[in-house]
Amino acid sequence: METLLQQIVNGLVVGSVYALVALGYTMVYGILGLINFAHGEVLMVGALTALQTVLLLMEVAPGLPPLLMLAVAVGVAVPVCMALGYLMERLAYRRLRGAPRLAPLITAIGLSFLLQTLAMIVWGRNYHTFPALISTEPLEPVAGVFVTPVQIAIVVISALLMAALVLLVNRSRLGRAMRATAENPRVAALMGVDANAIIALTFIIGAGLAAVAGVMFASNYGIAHYAMGFMPGLKAFTAAVLGGIGNLAGAMLGGIVLGLVEAIGAGYIEELSFGLLNSSYQDIFAFVILGVVLIFRPTGLLGERVSDRA
Amino acid sequence: MHTNPAAPLLQVDDIRVAYGGIQALKGVSLELYAGEMVCLIGANGAGKTTTLNAIAGMLPLAGGRIAYAGDDIGALPAHRRVRRGIALVPEGRGIFTRLTVEENLRMGAYARDDADAIETDLDRVYTLLPRIRERLAQVAGTLSGGEQQMLAIGRALLSRPRLLLLDEPSMGLAPQVVEKIFEVVQTVRDDGVTVLLVEQNAHLALAFASRGYVMESGRITLSGSGRALLADPSVRAAYLGE
């Protein structure tokens, strides 16, 4: 029972991060019908930019309180990633707007490799320690379950960001324009909406969320490196598909469900496989889910009709 | 902005549009004076919709000029033409089916920043289209065809257009509904909005419009007053089924 509760807590934490990243996939898909496979790398750039900022601050202003340091680091990482998201759209995807679907897809994979390689050149191949600016020491266990302050911060901040995004999309004039553009960009233009600006903004918002997710990921595991975005990127994509790609609520639900399945699965994988596999095989769950969803329910948990627009 | 009252509000001069190697418009010229209601009739594929789309900025020109209120707007993207006062109710209505009725209407006012006046205009649209008012919170995709057409017109009016382009408002609708829609269009015209109307139903269009143009394979082949065109033997033969 305690293992289960503990794994539920862990799953919620990881799931929150997946959900933030999944939102970026699903928003871009909703508006362009494009899977931006380079989105995971934005998470990595966010984490490493934050790390770089923290290291710099420790040098020039070592007396700064850790929380303030982290806030500044996020304050640098988010705009850097937003700029990166904008550039990806402006330089690569916009030119391929009318192209067959395969072209932007391959471009996305190419961008992913490009960003990883650039990050490797800048930050090297080694794993970097991400300082524990929010404590990763567990608090007093409640009902036998250990929770760390950083885990609480991750869940709370994710929830706040997701609530803010939902409000923006469903309640604001801008969000209305985003939804209108997603449904019919030509008619949206007739209303005075600059579809290019809306599409760029969608990339920018998604990248900002991924930057925060990157800092969360690095803070939770205490590690950052050039390839760290790849696996969470794929998992978040799986989460978006699981929830119903193109659907915001679906991305959030998919992220949380995937995080829970993965964590609970990791807790019991030894028993499930009669000792054959251990918890380092936990990635299996995400991809089994992806396969099962694609075969039996390609529209996902909350998915409507899959858009047939290229 | 000072405009010469004697100059046309819209002057389309020898425009050409091509897509996929096909010349859809082979030099179309027409003009609209402020306050007029003019119709564009012709067979399927004659280029009527293409002409409206070109005026609204949805298609690039391969040649020719579009002057509106004295300015050459041929290079302006669609989203900036709305701000100049050109609104298109597109073929098939272009309702945002996943947005609510009210959200659709508010999209019509997207280009405006005069919040108070938008509320006033919303009220006017509700008065003009009482059926729409009853359905504000409903998802627009659940409206009937006639209601969607009404909504599309109301949405266009919320941009406060000087020039309203209507593409086949009667398409697929029952005669009583069409009648209601034309009453609304008449009211809009009476309020001083200039209207360019594309219609399959030439009878109806010519009866309502003060003038008309006849299009055939990418060109204007005939123009005149509604009455004159209704009486023209070639129009009667080709478009009025006689």
Side-chain angles (χ1 to χ4, degrees), chain B residues 66-82:
Chain B
I66 300 177
Y68 169 78
D71 299 321
D72 184 349
I73 58 161
L76 279 186
H79 66 90
R80 297 193 37 204
R81 292 190 203 188
V82 199

Side-chain angles (χ1 to χ4, degrees), chain A residues 61-280:
Chain A
L64 233 48
L67 271 184
L68 184 62
M69 237 180 229
L70 189 63
V72 173
V74 172
V76 174
V78 167
V80 164
C81 287
M82 285 179 160
L84 178 64
Y86 173 75
L87 287 175
M88 285 200 281
E89 193 277 323
R90 190 69 192 83
L91 299 179
Y93 298 131
R94 188 174 296 185
R95 291 159 203 273
L96 298 169
R97 222 40 92 64
R101 299 184 87 123
L102 204 52
L105 192 65
I106 292 170
T107 304
I109 294 168
L111 267 176
S112 174
F113 284 125
L114 177 72
L115 289 172
Q116 273 195 40
T117 310
L118 286 176
M120 189 176 75
I121 293 169
V122 175
W123 284 291
R125 301 176 55 96
N126 296 330
Y127 285 69
H128 303 278
T129 306
F130 196 93
L133 298 168
I134 298 180
S135 169
T136 49
E137 293 300 317
L139 302 169
E140 270 305 297
V142 180
V145 176
F146 291 93
V147 183
T148 68
V150 75
Q151 287 180 319
I152 295 172
I154 288 174
V155 173
V156 170
I157 293 171
S158 301
L160 290 177
L161 284 174
M162 288 190 259
L165 183 74
V166 167
L167 280 180
L168 172 79
V169 170
N170 289 327
R171 292 274 177 270
S172 75
R173 173 174 171 275
L174 187 66
R176 199 156 61 219
M178 290 171 76
R179 284 178 291 136
T181 306
E183 182 170 341
N184 191 337
R186 287 170 58 81
V187 176
L190 288 176
M191 308 291 116
V193 178
D194 181 352
N196 278 333
I198 295 288
I199 291 167
L201 194 73
T202 304
F203 275 87
I204 289 170
I205 294 173
L209 294 175
V212 177
V215 178
M216 289 175 170
F217 218 74
S219 303
N220 194 31
Y221 296 112
I223 258 173
H225 66 114
Y226 77 98
M228 69 181 282
F230 184 71
M231 198 47 93
L234 279 184
K235 301 270 185 72
F237 166 67
T238 305
V241 172
L242 171 63
I245 190 132
N247 182 316
L248 288 191
M252 297 185 236
L253 178 67
I256 301 292
V257 170
L258 184 67
L260 287 174
V261 169
E262 222 181 63
I264 294 168
Y268 294 99
I269 193 169
E270 274 197 75
E271 296 161 41
L272 286 173
S273 65
F274 306 104
L276 196 65
L277 303 173
N278 60 40
S279 66
S280 56

Side-chain angles (χ1 to χ4, degrees), chain A residues 30 169-174 176-196 198 246 304-305 307 309, chain B residues 53 56 58-59 78-80 82-83 86-90 93-100 102-104 106-112 155-156:
Chain A
V169 170
N170 289 327
R171 292 274 177 270
S172 75
R173 173 174 171 275
L174 187 66
R176 199 156 61 219
M178 290 171 76
R179 284 178 291 136
T181 306
E183 182 170 341
N184 191 337
R186 287 170 58 81
V187 176
L190 288 176
M191 308 291 116
V193 178
D194 181 352
N196 278 333
I198 295 288
E304 313 142 41
R305 221 164 13 86
S307 157
R309 188 159 43 83
Chain B
N53 286 346
M58 311 265 283
L59 293 167
H79 66 90
R80 297 193 37 204
V82 199
R83 289 176 168 77
I86 301 178
L88 167 65
V89 177
R93 302 156 197 144
I95 292 299
F96 300 114
T97 55
R98 283 180 250 157
L99 272 56
T100 66
E102 184 179 353
E103 285 177 327
N104 267 277
R106 287 189 184 276
M107 278 309 297
Y110 180 80
R112 296 168 56 181
R155 186 179 63 179

Side-chain angles (χ1 to χ4, degrees), chain A residues 266-304:
Chain A
Y268 294 99
I269 193 169
E270 274 197 75
E271 296 161 41
L272 286 173
S273 65
F274 306 104
L276 196 65
L277 303 173
N278 60 40
S279 66
S280 56
Y281 286 92
Q282 61 162 311
D283 291 345
I284 286 176
F285 294 104
F287 301 110
V288 167
I289 287 182
L290 181 61
V292 169
V293 170
L294 287 177
I295 293 168
F296 295 106
R297 196 176 159 82
T299 53
L301 296 174
L302 304 183
E304 313 142 41

